[in-house]
Amino acid sequence: MNKSTLTLESRGVMGVVNKNLMIIATLFFSGAFIAGKFSVAEFPVYSLTFFRFLIAAVVLFFILRIKGVDLSLEKRDIPRVVLLSLLGMVGYHVFFFTALKHTSSVNTSLIAAMNPIVTTIMASIFLKEKFPKKAIGGILISFTGVALIVTNGSLEVIKNMNFNIGDIYMLMAILSFSIYFIVLKGIVGRIDPMKLTFYVFFFCVVMLVPMVIYENPVEYLPRTTSKGWGSLIYMSIFASVVAYLIQQISVKRIGPAKTSLYVNLVPLFSMIMAYFILGEVITLPKIFAGAMIISGVLITLKSKSS
């Protein structure tokens, strides 16, 4: 085998790696739904959010320092960054972790897949973005899928308004994160993405200090196990920092559109992990609902790009 053949083969392998790099990030994102289930059993919600982003912020800080990134932030950007932190970190994660206390990892991951749909609707309302008529079909399909999850396919749930409170909290989390993306559009491009992420994490930590004091760490920390800390560190480093960095590399190599499509694999990977790690039951209605949500998201994204 000559050098030219080896070069072609190595390029082919690297091409496959570049195209599928986001699968690693997607696995890390999916694992957060499983790790979160372990963590909420040992940490109060506000403290769990606080510790997750404290660790992530420290790791990002050292990465930024090593890269020599200027950490200065213009005064005009601070209010918007604080708002981003309140919506995307504090708001989303408090609702998300609260949801995990009351519902399954499968349900939270499937409902979370609705984020692009809700963001599209919010953008059309607040940013006056053009709303493609073709997207309506995809939105209806996705909402039907979510309705199947929230009602568990039972009309009695609707009749008696007996919804799982965890599913409702997850819907509120998605609403908060969608507004986060709307606010993000007004600042993206002006600030280095990694620096912006660091400050969003940092302000989240600062805002949560009073709530952490209220939850009294002295009471619960002595009872926290290695499983709880391990799950927390996983979410802090792998699901927050590492997955984010991989996502940034993927955007540069294959573009934002193709990169975003990989996120649709999160519910699938989460369902598989929940089945094998948590022993959660995967029913046919949930599989059907997941397929509807993902199909609806893909239809909506395709209609927006056409």
Side-chain angles (χ1 to χ4, degrees), residues 43-110:
F43 291 88
V45 169
Y46 289 102
S47 296
L48 179 55
T49 307
F50 172 85
F51 285 120
R52 173 178 181 173
F53 291 107
L54 174 63
I55 296 169
V58 170
V59 173
L60 264 183
F61 174 78
F62 283 110
I63 292 173
L64 288 166
R65 295 296 293 176
I66 290 169
K67 292 183 68 176
V69 176
D70 177 19
L71 289 174
S72 61
L73 194 65
E74 292 186 23
K75 286 185 179 180
R76 62 171 181 149
D77 291 327
I78 293 176
R80 192 180 289 266
V81 175
V82 170
L83 181 58
L84 284 172
S85 184
L86 181 63
L87 291 167
M89 300 304 117
V90 178
Y92 173 83
H93 287 87
V94 167
F95 285 134
F96 167 57
F97 288 135
T98 306
L100 282 174
K101 283 181 173 288
H102 301 281
T103 192
S104 66
S105 296
V106 172
N107 279 27
T108 54
S109 65
L110 289 174

Side-chain angles (χ1 to χ4, degrees), residues 24-43:
I24 300 172
T26 304
L27 285 168
F28 287 151
F29 287 139
S30 303
F33 291 92
I34 312 303
K37 197 70 174 174
F38 289 125
S39 300
V40 294
E42 301 192 26
F43 291 88

Side-chain angles (χ1 to χ4, degrees), residues 84-156:
L84 284 172
S85 184
L86 181 63
L87 291 167
M89 300 304 117
V90 178
Y92 173 83
H93 287 87
V94 167
F95 285 134
F96 167 57
F97 288 135
T98 306
L100 282 174
K101 283 181 173 288
H102 301 281
T103 192
S104 66
S105 296
V106 172
N107 279 27
T108 54
S109 65
L110 289 174
I111 295 171
M114 276 289 294
N115 186 61
I117 297 288
V118 178
T119 302
T120 297
I121 296 171
M122 301 291 281
S124 68
I125 295 171
F126 294 106
L127 300 180
K128 307 300 180 184
E129 289 189 1
K130 189 177 179 181
F131 192 80
K133 291 182 179 179
K134 292 180 181 178
I136 295 174
I139 290 170
L140 290 175
I141 291 171
S142 287
F143 272 113
T144 303
V146 170
L148 276 175
I149 294 169
V150 174
T151 63
N152 203 25
S154 173
L155 291 175
E156 288 297 314

